[in-house]
Amino acid sequence: MKIRALLAAALAAISFSVAFPASAQQPIKIGMSMPQTGALAGGGQAALVALRMWVEDINAKGGLLGRKVEFIAYDDQTNPANVPGIYTKLLEVDKVDLLIAPYGTVPTAAIMPMVKQRGLLLMGNFSFQVNRTVQHDMWFNNAPWNNAASWFDGYIATGKKLGATTIAFLAADQEFAQNLANGARELAKQAGLKTVYDQNYPPTTTDFSSLIRAIRQANADLVFVASYPNDSVAIIRSVNEIGVGSNVKLFGGGMVGLQFTPNMVNLGSLLNGVINYNTYVPGMNYPGIEDYFARYAKKAAEAKVDPLGYYITPYNYAIGQMLEQAINATKSLDHKRLADYLRKNEMKTIVGPIRYGPDGEWANPRVVQAQFRGVADKDTEQWKKPGRQVVISPDSVKTGEIVAPFEKARK
Amino acid sequence: MFSLDLLFEALLFGVLLGCFYAAVSIGLSVSFGLLDVPHVAHPAIMVLGSYGTWIIAGKLGWDPLLAGAVLMIPFFLLGVAIYRFYYEVFEKRGTDAGVRGLAFFFGLAFIIEVGLILAFGVDQRSVEAAYIGKSFQVGEYRIPMRMVVAFAVALILTFSLSFYLSKTFTGRAIKAVAQDEPALRLMGANPVRIKQWAFGIATGVSALAGAMLIIISPVEPAIDRLYIGRTFCVVVLAGLGSMTGTLAAGLILGIVESIVLMLFGASWAPAVAFSLLLIVLGIRPQGLFGR
Amino acid sequence: MKFWIGAAITVVVGVGLPLMPLNEYLFYAGYMVLSFVVLATAWNILGGYAGYVNFGPPAFFGIGAYSAVLLFKWLQAPLVVQIAGAALMGGLLGFGVGLLTLRLRGIFFAIATVAVVFIMETLMVNWRYVGGATGLQILRPPVEVFDTYTRMLFAVMTVMSVAAVAIARYIQVSWIGRGLRALRDSEDAAECSGVPTLKLKLFACAVSGALMAAAGAPMPMYLSFIEPASTFNLSYTIAALGSAIIGGMVHWAGPIIGAILLGTLQQVVTVTISSEINVLVVGVLLVVFVVAAPEGILGLIKKYFPGKK
């Protein structure tokens, strides 16, 4: 009991000294947890470089509302169990003014109820449909997708053009993959495809031989996979080890992690033939993006992370840009007013204009489905030129035709 | 989806996997089965071996099995040290040692696991070798080469250890000390030195087991928790102290796991070893070939 | 009498503090420390008094948490009902584990309890209704009396700790405790002297299990999120085991001292350094105490201050 009383007194003293309203010269604190280790580390570390770059840029311009911006990021290890504690610490101990969500659906799902109950603005970071059940009205996701159709329509359309009638689903049992797979299953049914195989696997699975064998046995035309980086890599390796059957026309679709440069370089030619979603491939034109990548590459080299940073980093930089525009326009840090602004306005970012729908997702999705072709082993430079990822869908940014069946495209 | 083809492949895979399970449990068969040491830290030490293999194979570019073999020597010494410490602090002092010995090894397992996280992070680690990623084509079936390599090494390991324990002098002394320590003492041998030597061997073998582990699949520090179930299941099912029993028990576990995987899916696989363990403990605690 | 006065004061402080304008994080961290007190006290009934080392606290903690989630999702049950339901399930599981391991002792008992943890986890992973491996987001009804859930749960957990300690104390001083001690010293001798060892063991398993489950019941409300991997995490074992051993296993005060010390240390380290190091700290302390001071802090106090009780 004595110990508890002492602790109470000590913490009370600390909290009183910190709780007084910030003077005008106090920095604006933006806080988040970011997966720097664990499954999403490949993207998380790169995203952090982009966010820190934005903080530097904004402070060089004089900060926001005349105050410097301070950025606090902890490592949640891609473990949703760590996230509520970290965000409680950010709010109660670090006393941050603004929150950014962790990268990824799985870590973010853990704090959605908390931010909704406390009425806090949360800037989403590449999660998929994580606001679906909670329906928080102060959530704004930076990712260029909204629902499953934005990912899956292109995949299905391509499949149907090739005459496919059956489909197999392989999805990790976690928030992201389940959200995606559930949406995809609905759409497949509507498109008249017959499901011949449907399996969820525990997220800690490392050996996929039996699952791949079963898929081969099922003899599907299309194989749609929703997976996280570790599983995606293991699945690709397993497919190359034991094969998935000569009947399969399309393989892939929703595999996270095949967009992280280290994975792309390590897997190399094992990727050929796989069709997968992406947010940016070289050749896509957004004003200012080339310049951004040049600056990013320098910082990434210093931090020894993903040197290209195509997939997620510009979208993290965009979070900063959106916050900047909202804060400067409303001249406040009040979460409600910022949320109002973000909901009503179109914002200009280095990944193009962003406008939000009522659920906090993009009104106009911009996901592409691209097929890996002609990839060589252990070559980072090859990814900088267009051509290794041939965009199959949507038609507006298409750069080539699909090569099927899958086994043929792998040669 | 149930077909004869899938069943056969599952059985095949189960046999390969089962031998691997036997190999990783054989160290425990000696340390717990023969020496009665409550060694719940056995899987953690094996994972330590995996990381050691990863470092050596990564930095020096060696084949992981070679790295594992080389690690056997420092691990042997580590085993001797651990047993010596355990003996001095716990075994000498008697009854209450049960609780404390268990707590000690549990604490040790945690320290190793967290130490690995602090040193290397929670990310998965794997090694590369010529035989990882390719497969043998046998008729309709494609068998991953890495499984066959692990299978072969496991068989060699199990038979060598079995041979050592039954045919060599020190080996038989180890078995003797397990059976009847006072008698051994009366014959002039020093049981503590023999047990120390045995524990060292068990730990050395764990290093090679760790190498096989990282060949078969990527490892991360917390993987030791799952293997507590698998290794103890094999050792208890085999019957304490039986080496050939370990191979048989490993095969049984491997095949059961593989079939459950095929029939019910990957989400039930972790429970197989633990359920089998509970069943054996409930019905026939002395195992198949117990002493 | 002294005990009950102390208990009353603790309850008053535990309920009063959250009503004062202190930093929220104090209660966030304090809740965890108090749940360790309950966990360690419950563990000690079987581990310290009877000598059966239980590696399975996560199984009971987890069944408590998931029972609470089930009751909440299915019946919108209030917290009190959730805790009661959780305790019931924990007691049943404890009884079941006791039956299953009737003839097992020492390391066999311990390994069997580890098996129960993983089997429970696998069951929850495969049960979609409570979220499966993905987990469940929990939208809590508005909180009453207190400002936030964290504060309310802190108060609830204080009351629970006092109740758990009271139960442990009763067991310790009653004939049940004497029987358990006889069991610990020598099960065979106890049986021969007519001690109903089987019944006592089942009783200890059930009570221990029920209390550990009760400790887990408020977790889903605390985090507003639940998923199997962290709920059934073996770190709860090392927390319970460690607290009891470090505090001292023979007396009900031991687990309290151990849990508060360990829990507070863990929280401070998590906030200042990292959450990994805190598990390392617990592990190292456990090993140090097991080797050098097996009677725990209580034992050290007895050794160096022989007059003091």
Side-chain angles (χ1 to χ4, degrees):
Chain A
M1 260 196 26
K2 254 214 214 144
I3 302 174
R4 225 187 280 149
L6 268 169
L7 188 63
L11 276 173
I14 298 175
S15 69
F16 273 128
S17 67
V18 178
F20 280 116
S23 73
Q25 291 323 303
Q26 285 266 9
I28 296 181
K29 293 192 193 170
I30 304 184
M32 70 183 298
S33 87
M34 179 71 98
Q36 294 166 57
T37 52
L40 294 175
Q45 289 177 351
L48 215 47
V49 170
L51 280 168
R52 293 212 163 102
M53 204 162 92
W54 173 78
V55 173
E56 263 180 42
D57 291 348
I58 199 84
N59 281 332
K61 287 197 280 190
L64 287 169
L65 302 181
R67 294 155 67 175
K68 280 218 147 336
V69 172
E70 187 183 317
F71 180 64
I72 303 173
Y74 295 110
D75 180 9
D76 57 36
Q77 303 176 331
T78 321
N79 188 347
N82 292 335
V83 179
I86 290 178
Y87 278 81
T88 306
K89 181 165 133 185
L90 283 167
L91 289 166
E92 310 298 345
V93 178
D94 298 305
K95 302 264 184 230
V96 298
D97 299 292
L98 294 164
L99 293 175
I100 300 179
Y103 160 39
T105 317
V106 170
T108 307
I111 46 159
M112 291 306 290
M114 180 211 270
V115 294
K116 173 163 176 149
Q117 255 182 337
R118 295 178 68 153
L120 299 169
L121 172 70
L122 186 62
M123 301 302 292
N125 201 344
F126 264 48
S127 339
F128 181 76
Q129 288 293 305
V130 82
N131 195 24
R132 193 177 34 99
T133 33
V134 173
Q135 303 275 320
H136 184 37
D137 61 356
M138 295 207 270
W139 155 265
F140 298 96
N141 196 357
N142 69 344
W145 51 71
N146 43 28
N147 56 14
S150 53
W151 285 50
F152 197 56
D153 275 349
Y155 182 90
I156 288 213
T158 314
K160 294 213 84 172
K161 248 193 289 183
L162 292 169
T165 51
T166 57
I167 186 164
F169 287 102
L170 184 64
D173 193 356
Q174 35 99 317
E175 185 84 15
F176 158 75
Q178 288 303 304
N179 285 349
L180 182 58
N182 286 334
R185 288 180 186 116
E186 260 312 302
L187 294 168
K189 221 188 316 179
Q190 284 170 22
L193 291 167
K194 175 162 164 253
T195 306
V196 294
Y197 178 86
D198 192 347
Q199 267 293 337
N200 295 325
Y201 60 85
T204 46
T205 308
T206 49
D207 189 86
F208 288 88
S209 333
S210 67
L211 292 165
I212 300 293
R213 275 200 299 270
I215 292 180
R216 196 175 61 215
Q217 196 78 355
N219 229 1
D221 294 322
L222 306 176
V223 180
F224 185 77
V225 182
S227 54
Y228 252 21
N230 286 334
D231 347 333
S232 303
V233 170
I235 290 173
I236 298 287
R237 288 193 190 279
S238 199
V239 163
N240 274 279
E241 217 180 34
I242 59 177
V244 79
S246 43
N247 194 42
V248 172
K249 299 184 174 41
L250 296 181
F251 186 94
M255 303 174 78
V256 182
L258 299 185
Q259 308 82 4
F260 300 165
T261 312
N263 287 341
M264 284 154 51
V265 170
N266 281 332
L267 288 172
S269 57
L270 300 184
L271 285 169
N272 282 324
V274 174
I275 181 172
N276 203 21
Y277 81 98
N278 211 329
T279 58
Y280 174 87
V281 295
M284 290 172 116
N285 227 337
Y286 297 123
I289 196 114
E290 305 282 325
D291 191 52
Y292 162 82
F293 278 127
R295 287 195 302 139
Y296 167 86
K298 281 208 213 80
K299 298 236 179 273
E302 280 167 25
K304 297 215 195 58
V305 298
D306 181 338
L308 302 176
Y310 288 151
Y311 170 63
I312 184 178
T313 72
Y315 292 87
N316 269 260
Y317 192 86
I319 294 181
Q321 293 183 306
M322 287 194 281
L323 281 175
E324 182 184 345
Q325 286 169 52
I327 293 175
N328 284 335
T330 60
K331 301 252 179 293
S332 92
L333 293 174
D334 176 66
H335 287 205
K336 266 210 138 333
R337 293 181 58 190
L338 291 172
D340 231 29
Y341 179 86
L342 290 166
R343 175 83 58 208
K344 300 202 171 87
N345 293 279
E346 181 176 276
M347 282 146 299
K348 304 206 170 339
T349 70
I350 52 160
V351 287
I354 300 181
R355 183 178 278 285
Y356 283 103
D359 58 354
E361 308 289 337
W362 284 29
N364 304 307
R366 259 182 263 142
V367 183
V368 301
Q369 288 279 347
Q371 185 176 38
F372 291 97
R373 290 235 277 275
V375 180
D377 289 329
K378 306 246 184 286
D379 178 358
T380 313
E381 292 302 307
Q382 66 180 332
W383 298 101
K384 290 188 183 163
K385 316 181 282 276
R388 293 289 184 269
Q389 296 184 69
V390 177
V391 179
I392 309 293
S393 153
D395 286 332
S396 52
V397 283
K398 192 161 152 167
T399 60
E401 291 298 328
I402 186 89
V403 171
F406 173 60
E407 294 277 341
K408 178 165 138 209
R410 278 183 40 210
K411 306 278 180 269
Chain B
M1 297 255 88
F2 181 56
S3 79
L4 235 42
D5 265 346
L6 267 185
L7 178 62
F8 186 72
E9 271 193 289
L11 279 172
L12 196 57
F13 200 75
V15 167
L16 295 176
L17 196 62
C19 263
F20 165 69
Y21 286 159
V24 308
S25 313
I26 205 143
L28 191 64
S29 242
V30 173
S31 56
F32 173 54
L34 285 179
L35 303 177
D36 279 330
V37 177
H39 193 13
V40 284
H42 171 260
I45 293 193
M46 176 179 74
V47 175
L48 193 63
S50 299
Y51 272 85
T53 306
W54 173 67
I55 296 178
I56 298 181
K59 289 265 155 58
L60 301 174
W62 289 3
D63 177 85
L65 284 174
L66 185 59
V70 164
L71 275 174
M72 284 174 85
I73 300 170
F75 269 61
F76 172 83
L77 296 171
L78 177 67
V80 169
I82 293 178
Y83 182 77
R84 205 52 210 243
F85 184 79
Y86 170 76
Y87 176 75
E88 294 295 333
V89 177
F90 301 101
E91 226 172 64
K92 254 196 199 164
R93 314 243 184 108
T95 52
D96 200 30
V99 176
R100 298 169 53 211
L102 260 177
F104 168 72
F105 278 104
F106 195 72
L108 185 64
F110 255 84
I111 292 177
I112 293 178
E113 186 184 313
V114 179
L116 285 173
I117 295 182
L118 287 170
F120 305 112
V122 296
D123 299 324
Q124 288 183 348
R125 307 287 175 195
S126 48
V127 290
E128 287 186 4
Y131 42 84
I132 300 179
K134 301 213 195 60
S135 52
F136 289 114
Q137 183 96 18
V138 176
E140 268 286 301
Y141 312 106
R142 288 177 65 171
I143 309 169
M145 226 181 262
R146 58 190 161 87
M147 298 298 301
V148 177
V149 167
F151 170 77
V153 174
L155 274 182
I156 297 175
L157 194 61
T158 314
F159 281 120
S160 320
L161 201 56
S162 202
F163 182 84
Y164 177 79
L165 286 173
S166 44
K167 304 284 188 237
T168 66
F169 182 74
T170 12
R172 278 183 296 172
I174 294 174
K175 280 188 131 171
V177 84
Q179 267 182 354
D180 194 342
E181 187 171 323
L184 192 74
R185 213 189 290 263
L186 286 173
M187 297 181 66
N190 181 348
V192 180
R193 287 197 58 196
I194 293 176
K195 292 209 255 190
Q196 189 173 285
W197 180 267
F199 200 88
I201 293 183
T203 313
V205 164
S206 293
L208 195 58
M212 283 192 279
L213 181 62
I214 198 173
I215 287 175
I216 289 209
S217 75
V219 301
E220 38 109 18
I223 205 174
D224 68 313
R225 303 182 186 191
L226 195 58
Y227 275 85
I228 291 181
R230 292 185 172 141
T231 51
F232 274 89
C233 173
V234 169
V235 170
V236 171
L237 180 57
L240 298 185
S242 166
M243 293 301 122
T244 34
T246 308
L247 193 56
L251 282 171
I252 295 177
L253 177 62
I255 292 175
V256 172
E257 233 185 63
S258 209
I259 300 211
V260 166
L261 201 66
M262 179 192 79
L263 289 176
F264 302 111
S267 49
W268 290 101
V272 172
F274 287 104
S275 308
L276 199 54
L277 175 63
L278 277 185
I279 293 173
V280 173
L281 283 176
I283 304 181
R284 200 190 149 90
Q286 66 268 49
L288 294 170
F289 307 94
R291 84 180 135 102
Chain C
M1 197 69 271
K2 263 199 296 194
F3 173 78
W4 292 110
I5 297 178
I9 296 178
T10 311
V11 170
V12 166
V13 171
V15 175
L17 271 181
L19 292 169
M20 303 205 289
L22 297 168
N23 189 314
E24 187 83 3
Y25 204 74
L26 171 65
F27 302 108
Y28 189 78
Y31 170 90
M32 285 310 296
V33 175
L34 287 171
S35 63
F36 280 1
V37 170
V38 180
L39 213 57
T41 304
W43 184 91
N44 202 42
I45 293 176
L46 192 60
Y49 298 167
Y52 274 82
V53 180
N54 179 5
F55 279 167
F60 299 93
F61 191 83
I63 201 178
Y66 273 92
S67 304
V69 168
L70 184 63
L71 287 170
F72 178 71
K73 187 165 176 191
W74 182 31
L75 302 169
Q76 275 78 57
L79 186 63
V80 183
V81 175
Q82 291 175 30
I83 295 179
L88 180 66
M89 290 309 295
L92 285 174
L93 182 65
F95 187 78
V97 170
L99 269 181
L100 194 68
T101 58
L102 225 39
R103 289 172 294 158
L104 301 178
R105 300 185 200 169
I107 186 175
F108 292 101
F109 178 77
I111 295 295
T113 56
V114 176
V116 174
V117 174
F118 278 84
I119 293 175
M120 288 302 307
E121 185 183 344
T122 305
L123 287 172
M124 292 304 127
V125 160
N126 283 290
W127 194 7
R128 286 241 84 88
Y129 187 69
V130 290
T134 303
L136 203 62
Q137 291 165 325
I138 294 157
L139 290 165
R140 312 177 287 202
V143 64
E144 318 194 352
V145 180
F146 294 90
D147 280 338
T148 66
Y149 260 93
T150 312
R151 289 166 190 260
M152 178 188 76
L153 292 174
F154 179 88
V156 166
M157 202 43 99
T158 313
V159 174
M160 204 192 287
S161 316
V162 170
V165 172
I167 294 176
R169 176 175 171 271
Y170 173 73
I171 292 182
Q172 182 187 322
V173 303
S174 70
W175 65 271
I176 304 176
R178 276 201 300 276
L180 290 175
R181 277 194 292 280
L183 217 166
R184 180 189 64 202
D185 289 334
S186 167
E187 193 149 343
D188 296 324
E191 282 226 16
C192 293
S193 335
V195 177
T197 53
L198 241 49
K199 288 208 201 109
L200 283 178
K201 184 174 163 181
L202 287 175
F203 177 78
C205 282
V207 171
S208 182
L211 285 175
M212 287 198 273
M219 265 311 253
M221 289 285 143
Y222 173 71
L223 290 177
S224 61
F225 179 75
I226 190 169
E227 53 95 39
S230 57
T231 311
F232 289 96
N233 195 330
L234 280 179
S235 349
Y236 289 118
T237 301
I238 208 164
L241 192 70
S243 304
I245 289 186
I246 291 175
M249 290 195 285
V250 287
H251 191 273
W252 55 265
I256 303 179
I257 297 176
I260 293 185
L261 194 69
L262 223 52
T264 312
L265 191 60
Q266 279 200 325
Q267 291 301 320
V268 169
V269 169
T270 304
V271 173
T272 49
I273 313 179
S274 83
S275 57
E276 247 64 56
I277 302 247
N278 93 47
V279 183
L280 185 67
V281 164
V282 178
V284 169
L285 276 177
L286 173 63
V287 171
V288 165
F289 268 82
V290 147
V291 167
E295 317 265 303
I297 292 183
L298 281 183
L300 290 176
I301 293 179
K302 246 195 287 188
K303 208 158 104 171
Y304 293 112
F305 305 97
K308 204 165 171 174
K309 215 353 209 44

